[in-house]
Structures are given as structure tokens and as C-alpha cells.
């Protein structure tokens, strides 16, 4: 038995859907009188190329070798009647069901394309949430109010916020970057933190702000009008979302009309 590897597994898996291949224009090899079509090799090359593999004589040689090995083992398995075993037949039935369902869904998607008008209508629904302000802030998170007040005193004495965040913040993610939280909507934070942020003047340091995580010392670097993503930026996600909703409705409708006994 040949040793399985990624290429072999990919070829073996793809072989299960070999019925999609066009009639072969040539053959890769013949195993015990059974021809392995060139089209099958080409299909595997294309599939691997889409995953980042570069088409090359070496890759084609490996594919050819694996196709021959697979055919040899497959023929032996047929001789042993493995294609008639309950386990194999059950798996083949499940695989056939998956392939047919996939073909049905693909046909439905092609027959019901999403229009630009539908996508723009969906975009207009979410665009209303793009308003408001965005805040660029830093914070230092500590366990006690006394620690937070001590940090504020250090800042008043001229110590750098970045250095104190790196040395003392319990939020190691932002702390390693000087406490930087980037541009954010206050609603993205817990209410106590977001509320304090909205009330702060730009460039100022907050008093200790208590949240469920501890005590925060916040510095507000800048404020700007919130700018949401453009239509073109979110179009792929909107299309995927609408398509998913349509497919779900299709399944729901089929379920409603089906006679199911459990």
C-alpha cells in the first residue's frame, strides 16, 4: 500500500466527483487496460493551482504517479468487493447526496442572480448606522483605584503614557503598543468606558474609570466623524448575506411542503 500524503488525499477526494470531467482527449496512463484520462490530471492541476500550487512538470509528474497508484489500489479494492461493502456504499450515498445538493444549490444561485439594486437597498439599511463620532484613545488598566491614581500622578510629573502602559497595564494587547486602542466607536466598549470617552476633551487624561475589568486611566488622542465602509467595500459581504438568506428560505419552503414522519 502506498503511503498517503496531501497530494494523494486531494486526488483521492477529487476522484469521487470524477463524473464532472469532460471526455478525455488523451490518457495519462493505462492500468490493466483501464485508461486514466488526461482531463482528470488537468483538473487536479487546476484545483491545486487555485490553492497556490504552481503548475510545473514536477507537479504533473507527481499527480500522474498518484493517479496510477490510486487506480491500482482502486482496482484491487473492486476485486475484493469493497465497493459493495455496507460502509463504502453508505459513504458513497452520503457523498452523492452532498454533490447533488451542491449542484442543486449552484443551479438555484445561477438562476436567481442578486441585482445591484437589491445590494444597494441592503447597503442603505446599514448605512444609517455609520454616523456619530470615532475616538482614538489609549488606556492603562490596573487592578485598584490607588494604582490608577498613582499612574495619573506619574503622568503629571512628566512620565510618558506609552512607557507606563507597557510597564503597568494589565491589558497586555494594547499595553505592548503603548495602550493604543485605535479608532473605535464608544459603543464598542463597556458602558462605563465608552461613556467616559465621550465626555473627555481631546488630549486630556481621565480620572480613574472603574469597569468590570478593573480601573482605567484613559488618554483621548483624537476625535473624528465616523466614516463607514463604502458600497464597493461591503458589496461582497452583502451579496453573501443575501445569498445565504435566499438559500435558507429555499430550504425552509421545501421543509414546509415536505411530508416528514419521525
Amino acid at each position: 500500500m502506498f503511503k498517503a500524503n496531501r497530494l494523494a488525499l486531494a486526488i483521492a477526494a477529487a476522484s469521487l466527483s470524477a463524473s464532472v470531467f469532460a471526455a478525455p482527449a488523451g490518457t495519462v496512463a493505462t492500468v490493466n487496460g483501464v485508461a486514466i484520462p488526461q482531463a482528470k490530471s488537468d483538473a487536479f492541476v487546476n484545483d491545486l493551482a487555485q490553492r497556490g500550487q504552481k503548475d510545473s512538470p514536477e507537479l504533473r509528474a507527481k499527480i500522474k504517479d498518484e493517479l496510477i497508484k490510486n487506480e491500482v489500489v482502486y482496482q484491487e479494492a473492486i476485486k475484493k468487493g469493497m465497493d459493495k461493502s455496507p460502509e463504502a456504499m453508505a459513504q458513497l450515498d452520503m457523498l452523492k447526496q452532498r454533490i447533488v445538493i451542491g449542484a442543486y444549490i449552484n443551479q438555484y444561485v445561477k438562476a436567481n442572480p442578486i441585482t445591484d439594486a437589491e445590494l444597494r437597498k441592503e447597503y442603505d439599511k446599514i448605512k444609517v448606522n455609520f454616523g456619530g463620532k470615532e475616538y482614538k484613545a489609549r488606556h492603562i488598566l490596573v487592578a485598584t483605584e490607588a494604582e490608577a491614581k498613582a499612574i495619573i500622578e506619574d503622568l503629571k510629573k512628566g512620565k510618558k503614557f506609552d512607557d507606563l502602559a507597557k510597564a503597568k497595564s494589565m491589558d497586555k494587547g494594547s499595553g505592548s503598543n503603548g495602550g493604543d486602542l485605535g479608532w473605535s466607536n464608544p459603543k464598542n466598549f463597556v458602558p462605563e468606558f465608552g461613556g467616559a470617552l465621550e465626555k473627555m476633551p481631546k488630549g486630556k487624561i481621565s480620572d480613574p474609570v472603574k469597569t468590570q475589568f478593573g480601573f482605567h486611566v484613559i488618554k483621548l488622542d483624537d476625535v473624528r466623524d465616523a466614516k463607514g465602509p463604502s458600497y464597493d467595500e461591503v458589496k461582497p459581504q452583502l451579496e453573501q448575506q443575501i445569498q445565504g438568506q435566499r438559500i435558507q428560505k429555499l430550504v425552509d419552503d421545501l421543509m414546509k411542503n415536505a411530508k416528514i414522519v419521525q
Side-chain angles (χ1 to χ4, degrees):
M1 183 66 68
F2 64 90
K3 184 179 179 181
N5 55 38
R6 289 184 181 179
L7 181 60
L9 292 173
I11 289 175
S15 295
L16 293 171
S17 57
S19 59
V20 303
F21 298 132
T27 60
V28 172
T30 302
V31 179
N32 297 323
V34 178
I36 301 174
Q38 180 65 46
K40 180 181 284 191
S41 176
D42 292 341
F44 294 133
V45 170
N46 292 336
D47 181 60
L48 292 171
Q50 290 176 2
R51 302 181 192 182
Q53 290 264 17
K54 185 177 180 180
D55 187 359
S56 68
E58 292 78 15
L59 177 63
R60 288 183 176 271
K62 288 180 180 179
I63 289 174
K64 177 180 178 180
D65 184 53
E66 294 299 340
L67 286 172
I68 292 171
K69 289 177 180 177
N70 280 352
E71 183 62 34
V72 169
V73 177
Y74 175 71
Q75 290 182 18
E76 183 62 22
I78 296 296
K79 288 180 183 178
K80 300 294 185 183
M82 299 309 299
D83 58 323
K84 300 297 193 299
S85 70
E87 295 85 356
M89 293 184 73
Q91 290 184 47
L92 285 169
D93 187 59
M94 291 172 61
L95 180 62
K96 178 182 177 181
Q97 187 181 64
R98 254 195 318 266
I99 292 172
V100 172
I101 289 173
Y104 172 67
I105 296 298
N106 288 337
Q107 186 275 334
Y108 172 81
V109 169
K110 289 179 181 178
N112 297 275
I114 299 171
T115 66
D116 190 68
E118 289 176 296
L119 291 170
R120 289 192 178 277
K121 182 179 179 181
E122 196 66 27
Y123 178 72
D124 289 339
K125 288 181 183 178
I126 64 172
K127 191 167 64 173
V128 297
N129 298 318
F130 293 165
K133 300 286 185 181
E134 288 182 322
Y135 296 76
K136 191 174 190 302
R138 298 173 182 272
H139 85 134
I140 301 172
L141 175 63
V142 291
T144 67
E145 185 176 14
E147 289 176 281
K149 287 181 176 180
I151 286 171
I152 294 171
E153 289 302 316
D154 286 339
L155 291 169
K156 289 179 180 178
K157 294 175 183 177
K159 291 190 177 181
K160 293 183 178 180
F161 195 98
D162 290 24
D163 294 339
L164 290 171
K166 291 175 183 177
K168 299 187 176 183
S169 183
M170 295 192 303
D171 179 1
K172 299 304 180 183
S174 67
S176 63
N177 198 29
D180 189 13
L181 296 170
W183 288 99
S184 301
N185 186 311
K187 293 184 177 62
N188 293 338
F189 302 110
V190 292
E192 300 89 346
F193 191 102
L197 199 59
E198 290 178 305
K199 296 174 184 177
M200 289 180 60
K202 188 167 66 174
K204 297 297 184 179
I205 304 292
S206 72
D207 291 328
V209 176
K210 183 181 180 181
T211 72
Q212 65 199 71
F213 305 106
F215 289 83
H216 307 257
V217 177
I218 307 169
K219 179 185 178 185
L220 179 58
D221 290 335
D222 205 355
V223 183
R224 70 182 182 188
D225 291 330
K227 181 182 178 182
S230 69
Y231 170 73
D232 289 333
E233 288 174 327
V234 298
K235 183 178 177 180
Q237 289 87 352
L238 291 175
E239 191 166 15
Q240 186 178 36
Q241 176 183 318
I242 294 174
Q243 201 65 266
Q245 291 170 348
R246 284 186 175 183
I247 293 171
Q248 185 60 56
K249 185 179 184 305
L250 172 67
V251 174
D252 290 343
D253 289 343
L254 290 172
M255 289 290 290
K256 287 177 184 178
N257 295 323
K259 295 180 180 179
I260 302 172
V261 178
Q262 297 190 42

